Amino acid sequence: MRVALFITCFNDTLFPATGQAVVRVLERLGHEVVFPPDQTCCGQMHFNTGYQRECVPLVRSFVDTFADADVVVAPSASCVGMVRDFHGRVAEVSGDRGLAAAVAETAPRVHEFTEFLVDIAGVTDVGAYFPHRVTYHPTCHGLRLLKLGDRPQALLRAVEGIDLVDLPDATECCGFGGTFAVKNSDVSVAMGTDKVARVLATGAEVLTAADNSCLMHVGGLLSRSKSSVRVMHLAEILAGERG
Amino acid sequence: MTAREEILGRIRSALSTVDKTETVVSRDYEQTIEGDLVELFAERVADYRATVVRTAADRLPEAIAEQLAHFGISSVVTPADLPAQWVPHADTDAPPLRVPALDATDGVVTACAVGIAETGTIVLDAGAGQGRRALTLVPDFHLCVVRADQIVGTVPEAIARLDGTRPLTWISGPSATSDIELNRVEGVHGPRILVVVIAGAPEEVPQATRMSSISTP
Amino acid sequence: MTGTWLGMPPFPEAARKALGDTQLRTNLRKATGTIRGKRAAVVAERADWEALRVAGKEIKDRTLHNLDTYLEQLERNVTAAGGVVHWARDAAEANRIVIDLVRAADADEVVKVKSMATQEIELNEALAEAGIAAYETDLAELIVQLGHDRPSHILVPAIHRNRAEIRDIFLREMPGVTEALTDDPAELAAAARAHLRRKFLTAKVAVSGANFAVADSGTLVVVESEGNGRMCLTLPEVLISVVGIEKLVPTWQDLEVMLQLLPRSSTGERMNPYTSTWTGVTPGDGPREFHLILLDNGRTDALADDIGRQALRCIRCSACLNVCPVYERTGGHAYGSVYPGPIGAILTPQLRGVTADEVSPTLPFASTLCGACYEVCPVLIDIPQALVHLRAKAVDAKRGKPSAERAAMRVAQWFFGSSRRLRVAQRLVATGGRVLSRRGRIGRLPGPLKGWSGARDTATPPRRTFRTWWESR
Ligand code: SF4
């Protein structure tokens, strides 16, 4: 299958290893990956912070960039949620009928990485090897917007050598919340600190998730508390190979 | 402009772009349940820590007397139209007792309008054998007789049987509060003891309660 | 602490203070944890729960979309049944009507059933000014009133107090209570019963709200637990109910949905102990006079907003508060309103206006948009959607005034405008990151980055972005 990668601006800039892992997994499964070079940002930060008007050109550029792609895959549940659930709203705010039509065309073709693997590629065993104790945090947008359900865990369980342990109170938000992490940093840190305590209780070496943004927040707290627990996007675990 | 006109005017202008065709309400929720409703009712009322007693209709006076004796209730008031043989020595609420007199009475015995099995609720509608609302409120003990044929399965069935223009009191267990650390504690301002006597139920209690789509935990 | 909400600071500031109160956090975690479990259990019992939620949503939408018609129908039916209907544009008008009615009844005190509407209009304060004493009779409201405190939860206004604190308040404020009182909840409840008993039996006037008002029958509904509601609705001669105009349901049959959704969502019970319904006055049974005050107080403004309107579906169950991770940590006072938690964050700025005071514009931002509230709301209010919508309103209201945040957002928008510009930004981030980095981590930073970096490290941005890697393959 020919798959267009939407890397997301955040992963592009700060977590290129995640994108590389996505490419490795997809190619290992025999898919052709293309990277439309004009892509920038889905507009989530602007939209969620109240700058809906500023979001309009970003949505326009997104639909132009991916107009020709049959299948778009992104390693971020929250960006996919933004595209699928809210690009339509941005188009509505803009009052541009053409944009609304383009969004209606493009948005449904955009899939989160684990969603693509399980639902479209039809695999749960991607041939990965990762001999570590891992716990998985279902991020809120993956859980409640995209309703990823058990897909990520199904993929992780099929990884050879993995010791996947349950995270207590897993469905509780980690406290990141985009600009919430800065605007309400005290509450954000309080929530994140509780998440850290639960992660530590599992004895896991690695905390994984389908969103690097949440991992950056929890990982930042772990690092500040001098914990040795690493955070790692799920794609990087699925890309793991023997030797 | 009066407040009334102004508010209605503001509503109309707020809704000027809204489609005024009536939104259809889909009612795809359960209307009925199957199984032994009397048994389920008894179980659910008991869940609220009310006392539940089942008796054959012809033994009702004895069953009531036993409960009054058990809880040490000596002064009893009843609605004027409650069958006299149910509680032979009761005072009746005719002419209506004043509040202090009600407050000095140990308990009240009434009938009810409807029982709801799924929620363990009894509903009083001030109809036959139930009296006015204050009667079942001020005394600290309430014994309510429910005929087995008054028990319906669900809230929708109860709503269909009840007349909304009568003053209704829905009772699910004794007075309670969850206001301290969200734990339920029985016994605040309403009657602290609730006894529900189910009359005319079959003598034999079936082993299990069968329910169709609403499952018990 | 005063009884009113005037001058509340922005949410982040109030939240910071609340977070420092460890007792508060322990109390909240315990209470919300308990209620979450109970709700989940009784909801799981119902295979048709989603169908009930859909019906609940549709009933309220039907109400809101034809609100004028249903209000007029309600008015006709209440009047025909012997009640008197009053209309109040705002809090001051509603308070004035209540005061006049109490004076007309020749009373100088009232007993009150817990009601959000009367808290919202700060009726108790208005009555006090008019020389009328108001006695709260709901246990949690009593705790708040005796503690000279403010409510912090819709259902359990004293949720921030644990049993030991409640005992202390009773000991201090309740006449006749002695050291022998323990902190056993049953004993505390018994003390409240003894304290209020005489008030109930002698009060001439009661003030209530209503959970529902049925247009086609003229019936008012109060859902409660303790029996204080029954006392107030039944024993006094005069009953005054202050009811928001959005509390209507069109038909008697609609109650079959609401009376299933509300108790399971709020106290986690199949049914609450007592529900009272009354229509006008009934000779020989209950009050001789019934007054219904229909309250606007900002509701029509919310009604005019296509997305914000859904907040008026709310049946005040408080399920959204109980699952909210922000509420659980800050408690209700930080929201600066009688409506705290997720519903407060979308209702308060609409009722007061998004720029009305310091706290209102910050409320839509008091959420991570995690969506836990939407998942439990019995009338399917998409709270995250409304939050984001109101954020935009808050931002738009300040357009034209200088703002560092907007400047930053504009800059970001410009960089995201093309991939060429994005590359420039990426180089800046990589270079800047390496300058700030120590041993592969960026630690505490000053200025606008303090909020992020105060407690969190950041990994040094990599030298190569994904796209440069991709091009070099
Ligand atoms: S918004 Fe929904 S969940 Fe929250 S109090 Fe209102 S009805 Fe309940």
Side-chain angles (χ1 to χ4, degrees):
Chain A
M1 205 177 306
R2 190 185 162 93
V3 177
L5 177 63
F6 171 46
I7 186 64
T8 78
C9 62
F10 184 75
N11 286 324
D12 185 6
T13 312
L14 298 176
F15 300 96
T18 296
Q20 291 161 18
V22 170
V23 173
R24 203 169 313 138
V25 173
L26 293 178
E27 290 182 347
R28 195 164 68 205
L29 294 170
H31 301 289
E32 183 198 347
V33 182
V34 294
F35 181 78
D38 290 341
Q39 60 180 283
T40 60
C41 169
C42 66
Q44 182 178 198
M45 177 181 74
H46 285 94
F47 185 78
N48 283 350
T49 313
Y51 295 84
Q52 296 192 358
R53 294 185 205 167
E54 284 78 356
C55 209
V56 175
L58 304 179
V59 171
R60 199 166 275 140
S61 138
F62 184 91
V63 295
D64 287 347
T65 305
F66 292 100
D68 299 329
D70 291 330
V71 177
V72 182
V73 171
S76 164
S78 67
C79 298
V80 172
M82 173 67 202
V83 171
R84 284 219 301 252
D85 286 34
F86 305 118
H87 272 192
R89 173 67 192 159
V90 176
E92 201 181 311
V93 169
S94 76
D96 177 345
R97 293 252 179 100
L99 183 59
V103 166
E105 264 293 302
T106 319
R109 290 188 263 123
V110 181
H111 305 277
E112 187 276 330
F113 182 54
T114 66
E115 221 176 34
F116 170 80
L117 291 175
V118 176
D119 297 355
I120 297 179
V123 287
T124 47
D125 185 348
V126 299
Y129 174 71
F130 193 77
H132 297 283
R133 175 175 268 224
V134 174
T135 193
Y136 171 75
H137 167 61
T139 61
C140 299
H141 290 169
L143 185 72
R144 301 195 183 88
L145 270 188
L146 302 186
K147 308 223 180 325
L148 292 181
D150 194 39
R151 291 175 185 85
Q153 288 98 322
L155 288 159
L156 288 169
R157 273 195 299 268
V159 172
E160 197 190 333
I162 200 170
D163 176 13
L164 186 65
V165 288
D166 282 344
L167 180 64
D169 298 317
T171 58
E172 189 169 302
C173 179
C174 72
F176 173 65
T179 46
F180 177 84
V182 180
K183 279 177 177 280
N184 280 285
S185 58
D186 298 279
V187 187
S188 171
V189 167
M191 289 166 68
T193 304
D194 289 344
K195 187 57 83 180
V196 162
R198 304 222 165 94
V199 171
L200 295 177
T202 65
E205 303 158 67
V206 174
L207 168 69
T208 192
D211 274 286
N212 273 328
S213 49
C214 304
L215 287 176
M216 182 175 81
H217 161 69
V218 181
L221 291 164
L222 281 163
S223 165
R224 184 63 59 86
S225 68
K226 305 269 184 290
S227 160
S228 62
V229 177
R230 285 179 293 154
V231 296
M232 196 181 264
H233 192 280
L234 178 139
E236 295 171 43
I237 292 176
L238 297 185
E241 279 164 25
R242 216 179 247 286
Chain B
M1 215 193 293
T2 65
R4 180 182 188 280
E5 287 162 12
E6 193 172 326
I7 293 169
L8 288 171
R10 293 170 67 165
I11 292 171
R12 285 177 192 129
S13 74
L15 296 173
S16 58
T17 58
V18 169
D19 180 6
K20 298 294 269 186
T21 48
E22 294 258 305
T23 315
V24 189
V25 175
S26 40
R27 300 187 188 270
D28 299 330
Y29 47 87
E30 295 305 327
Q31 302 292 329
T32 58
I33 48 174
E34 279 161 26
D36 185 338
L37 298 182
V38 177
E39 176 59 19
L40 179 64
F41 174 74
E43 190 186 300
R44 295 272 158 107
V45 174
D47 265 3
Y48 297 122
R49 278 174 247 172
T51 301
V52 184
V53 181
R54 295 175 65 169
T55 181
D58 55 356
R59 271 205 76 250
L60 187 55
E62 289 92 321
I64 293 172
E66 279 164 26
Q67 291 305 315
L68 294 177
H70 175 76
F71 285 99
I73 305 300
S74 43
S75 57
V76 177
V77 60
T78 60
D81 60 350
L82 195 82
Q85 70 276 17
W86 283 14
V87 201
H89 304 294
D91 291 330
T92 59
D93 188 37
L97 294 176
R98 299 183 61 84
V99 170
L102 270 183
D103 192 31
T105 306
D106 288 348
V108 55
V109 175
T110 68
C112 77
V114 173
I116 309 172
E118 204 257 323
T119 59
T121 303
I122 51 181
V123 186
L124 309 185
D125 72 353
Q130 296 160 62
R132 61 198 169 107
R133 287 171 288 171
L135 201 59
T136 50
L137 174 62
V138 180
D140 204 12
F141 171 97
H142 179 197
L143 185 151
C144 184
V145 177
V146 182
R147 286 196 327 265
D149 63 9
Q150 290 180 309
I151 298 173
V152 298
T154 64
V155 173
E157 288 172 305
I159 284 285
R161 276 204 193 186
L162 292 162
D163 175 356
T165 60
R166 302 181 69 94
L168 303 183
T169 307
W170 298 46
I171 300 173
S172 307
S175 133
T177 182
S178 302
D179 282 355
I180 300 167
E181 298 173 7
L182 281 171
N183 277 313
R184 183 173 160 125
V185 183
E186 279 77 20
V188 200
H189 305 295
R192 284 182 285 190
I193 301 170
L194 175 69
V195 177
V196 176
V197 178
I198 306 170
E203 292 299 330
E204 281 180 4
V205 178
Q207 284 300 305
T209 303
R210 291 180 313 277
M211 302 181 70
S212 63
S213 56
I214 299 174
S215 60
T216 43
Chain C
M1 205 180 274
T2 68
T4 71
W5 299 96
L6 269 179
M8 282 295 292
F11 182 83
E13 223 173 278
R16 187 174 318 127
K17 227 174 276 159
L19 284 167
D21 185 341
T22 47
Q23 181 69 64
L24 173 72
R25 276 173 76 182
T26 314
N27 294 353
L28 282 170
R29 178 171 309 192
K30 184 153 180 250
T32 55
T34 306
I35 196 71
R36 281 203 292 259
K38 282 167 76 177
R39 178 201 163 273
V42 293
V43 164
E45 253 178 50
R46 294 297 298 260
D48 59 346
W49 184 250
E50 289 312 310
L52 278 168
R53 291 174 83 199
V54 169
K57 168 192 186 286
E58 289 170 349
I59 288 167
K60 293 306 282 192
D61 277 346
R62 186 177 169 199
T63 308
L64 295 172
H65 293 171
N66 304 276
L67 192 56
D68 49 340
T69 318
Y70 290 129
L71 281 167
E72 288 176 314
Q73 191 186 10
L74 176 76
E75 180 185 43
R76 274 196 306 278
N77 286 325
V78 168
T79 310
V84 183
V85 177
H86 311 256
W87 300 69
R89 280 168 276 229
D90 53 24
E93 189 164 21
N95 287 334
R96 203 161 47 241
I97 297 170
V98 177
I99 290 166
D100 289 347
L101 289 169
V102 176
R103 286 194 176 136
D106 212 9
D108 60 5
E109 59 179 43
V110 301
V111 284
K112 279 192 69 204
V113 197
K114 178 176 143 23
S115 122
M116 296 308 300
T118 59
Q119 282 180 18
E120 176 191 322
I121 61 175
E122 299 186 339
L123 174 66
N124 291 4
E125 290 75 12
L127 286 174
E129 238 166 72
I132 299 163
Y135 294 92
E136 291 292 352
T137 65
D138 168 80
L139 179 52
E141 286 284 16
L142 178 69
I143 296 164
V144 168
Q145 192 177 38
L146 292 178
H148 309 287
D149 201 350
R150 277 183 291 208
S152 71
H153 189 272
I154 295 177
L155 175 73
V156 190
I159 195 171
H160 54 290
R161 300 288 192 191
N162 66 20
R163 57 185 77 188
E165 296 170 284
I166 294 168
R167 175 185 178 265
D168 290 346
I169 293 170
F170 281 12
L171 210 54
R172 213 169 50 231
E173 303 282 342
M174 206 180 254
V177 167
T178 68
E179 282 286 343
L181 181 73
T182 73
D183 66 1
D184 172 20
E187 256 190 58
L188 295 171
R193 177 183 166 102
H195 172 69
L196 287 171
R197 190 91 186 151
R198 220 188 54 81
K199 281 279 169 254
F200 283 135
L201 303 186
T202 56
K204 247 168 120 179
V205 180
V207 177
S208 83
N211 295 88
F212 306 102
V214 184
D216 79 345
S217 61
T219 308
L220 279 284
V221 182
V222 163
V223 173
E224 52 132 357
S225 293
E226 297 169 11
N228 62 312
R230 293 177 70 190
M231 289 281 181
C232 293
L233 301 171
T234 313
L235 298 184
E237 289 167 21
V238 178
L239 172 62
I240 305 167
S241 302
V242 183
V243 179
I245 52 174
E246 84 287 16
K247 292 279 133 196
L248 270 67
V249 294
T251 69
W252 172 250
Q253 192 197 352
D254 294 333
L255 285 182
E256 74 188 23
V257 176
M258 298 306 172
L259 292 179
Q260 298 194 73
L261 288 173
L262 182 53
R264 284 179 204 258
S265 299
S266 61
T267 46
E269 295 168 300
R270 295 190 185 105
M271 194 60 90
N272 50 292
Y274 300 130
T275 297
S276 298
T277 78
W278 73 98
T279 308
V281 291
T282 307
D285 188 349
R288 272 182 284 192
E289 251 181 65
F290 169 56
H291 297 271
L292 171 62
I293 302 174
L294 294 170
L295 176 71
D296 180 348
N297 206 35
R299 284 162 178 75
T300 46
D301 292 331
L303 190 68
D305 184 322
D306 283 340
I307 292 179
R309 179 185 301 138
Q310 59 186 319
L312 298 178
R313 292 206 293 261
C314 176
I315 57 173
R316 310 275 189 268
C317 72
S318 71
C320 58
L321 281 62
N322 299 332
V323 298
C324 177
V326 175
Y327 176 86
E328 184 185 321
R329 286 169 182 83
T330 65
H333 292 154
Y335 293 81
S337 154
V338 294
Y339 302 109
I343 180 61
I346 62 170
L347 196 58
T348 304
Q350 295 200 80
L351 294 182
R352 291 184 189 164
V354 78
T355 54
D357 46 34
E358 284 221 56
V359 62
S360 293
T362 65
L363 290 175
F365 296 90
S367 164
T368 61
L369 307 178
C370 80
C373 45
Y374 184 29
E375 208 169 46
V376 296
C377 177
V379 285
L380 290 169
I381 299 173
D382 189 342
I383 295 175
Q385 182 200 43
L387 284 167
V388 169
H389 172 70
L390 292 168
R391 288 178 183 187
K393 277 195 150 179
V395 165
D396 289 345
K398 279 194 247 153
R399 281 184 196 272
K401 290 184 210 129
S403 137
E405 181 187 278
R406 193 172 47 254
M409 286 289 171
R410 286 263 165 80
V411 170
Q413 184 204 11
W414 187 83
F415 279 124
F416 291 144
S418 78
S419 56
R420 195 178 42 78
R421 290 183 205 156
L422 181 59
R423 279 171 200 275
V424 176
Q426 288 174 330
R427 274 199 295 279
L428 291 173
V429 169
T431 314
R434 271 195 302 284
V435 169
L436 298 171
S437 171
R438 301 279 175 277
R439 286 187 291 277
R441 302 260 124 198
I442 301 171
R444 283 194 175 78
L445 298 172
L449 297 171
K450 203 166 121 204
W452 170 262
S453 65
R456 312 170 186 93
D457 288 341
T458 311
T460 313
R463 276 171 198 279
R464 267 207 321 190
T465 62
F466 176 81
R467 66 180 73 220
T468 44
W469 171 81
W470 176 266
E471 284 153 5
S472 69
R473 286 177 96 205

